[in-house]
Amino acid sequence: MNGSRLLFVPLGWAGLAGTALAQTAGWGWGALSGATIVLREGLEAALVLGAVLVYLRAAGAGARLLRGLWGGVAAALLASGAAWWASSLLLGTSEAGRQVLEGVTALLAAGVLFFVINWLFHQAYVVDWTDRMRTQARAAVARGSALGLVALGFLVVFREGFETVLFFRALLAQAPAGAVGAGFLAGAAATVGVVVALARSGRRLPLRRAFQVSGWLLLLLAVGFVGNGVHELQEAGWIPETAWWAAAFDRAVLGWAGLRGTLETLGSQAAYLLLLAVSFTLARRRTRRLEARAHGG
């Protein structure tokens, strides 16, 4: 009995090899992933915009400058919609072209998530970005530049909008559209609910816990993107395909998570996790050295 059969037997015994269960797991994962993406991106945009608005009001910015900021936000939302429409056109190519594009999109999304996850776990991602946007707002107010605030509002929202488009395009290649759509609506509703509750209560969001939880969920999503991205490129003939424990992975509820039974997919996912662990460890050591120097000085 080979390795794939050895793994398949306990999975089948546990009821993990059924098509219905695989579809249920894939649907649930698609909805959870979609909600996580929208909630994280939406909260980040809301937090940064909120910090900028607090500064503008404290600095006595007039209605003209505030209209500039909101004009930039509106333009970013329109641009995000245009990006989604453009990506739909690109995906409407031939089957081989679509597979290549979906594979590249998934790997690009995993690359973006690599940096997002690192920053989330170091608690600096939103903090640094917020400080940078405050600095730009300060400069725009000093110049009395409404155009500067248009650019700032656009940058804050379109950054999140573009990431959302990228992540959702990659997610749709591996999860049912209905699940992804349900996740989007749930995430949007949760984002609005959290923002309204925080605005009314005046309390601060526990960023550390929120970003740690979303960081782990995004890590699982990124691993799935890597596996499905490599798989799509294999289907298009761009990457070789070496079967390894294929029977177990193909029949069990693992395909929806991007776990395919080939050396190339599993190897790329292992390499991704290793690189992420190394970069996180190095960044953590650097942070500790800087803190030690600051305390020592």
Side-chain angles (χ1 to χ4, degrees):
M1 182 178 287
N2 58 30
S4 64
R5 292 175 180 268
L6 286 173
L7 181 60
F8 175 67
V9 168
L11 287 174
W13 176 81
L16 296 179
T19 302
L21 184 56
Q23 292 176 344
T24 301
W27 204 99
W29 174 246
L32 177 61
S33 299
T36 300
I37 291 169
V38 174
L39 183 60
R40 199 211 71 82
E41 301 291 339
L43 283 181
E44 182 177 339
L47 288 169
V48 177
L49 278 176
V52 171
L53 282 170
V54 168
Y55 169 77
L56 290 176
R57 288 167 180 162
R64 182 177 67 89
L65 294 180
L66 290 174
R67 283 197 300 270
L69 179 69
W70 290 116
V73 170
L77 292 174
L78 290 175
S80 299
W84 180 263
W85 175 75
S87 65
S88 299
L89 292 181
L90 290 174
L91 287 171
T93 59
S94 64
E95 180 66 18
R98 184 186 60 79
Q99 288 175 338
V100 171
L101 189 58
E102 286 182 350
V104 171
T105 300
L107 294 178
L108 181 59
V112 173
L113 281 173
F114 180 90
F115 295 100
V116 172
I117 293 166
N118 252 309
W119 284 114
L120 282 177
F121 283 128
H122 285 295
Q123 301 177 269
Y125 188 70
V126 176
V127 175
D128 290 349
W129 183 240
T130 302
D131 290 343
R132 194 179 307 171
M133 292 301 99
R134 275 207 204 97
T135 300
Q136 289 194 19
R138 189 177 301 116
V141 170
R143 297 192 308 269
S145 172
L147 186 60
L149 286 172
V150 169
L152 187 151
F154 181 88
L155 185 61
V156 169
V157 175
F158 185 66
R159 170 173 133 151
E160 311 307 327
F162 180 80
E163 288 182 358
T164 300
V165 169
L166 179 63
F167 297 156
F168 267 82
R169 276 301 174 199
L171 182 59
L172 280 170
Q174 69 181 63
V180 175
F184 178 89
L185 294 177
T191 301
V192 172
V194 170
V195 171
V196 170
L198 291 175
R200 289 181 176 177
S201 66
R203 297 179 181 177
R204 297 184 63 184
L205 182 71
L207 289 179
R208 178 184 177 87
R209 183 57 55 86
F211 287 153
Q212 280 182 343
V213 172
S214 64
W216 283 111
L217 290 173
L218 291 176
L219 175 59
L220 296 176
L221 186 61
V223 171
F225 284 168
V226 171
N228 281 296
V230 172
H231 176 71
E232 290 293 341
L233 294 179
Q234 286 177 324
E235 291 288 306
W238 282 38
I239 295 178
E241 190 170 354
T242 308
W244 188 64
W245 282 24
F249 284 103
D250 289 345
R251 297 176 186 172
V253 290
L254 300 175
W256 55 267
L259 295 173
R260 311 281 180 171
T262 71
L263 285 174
E264 291 78 14
T265 54
L266 297 173
S268 62
Q269 289 170 317
Y272 184 87
L273 290 173
L274 178 61
L275 185 60
L276 188 61
V278 169
S279 64
F280 178 80
T281 302
L282 292 176
R284 193 170 186 178
R285 288 180 180 176
R286 180 175 179 274
T287 301
R288 287 178 176 175
R289 284 198 302 268
L290 292 175
E291 291 176 349
R293 289 177 185 174
H295 291 307

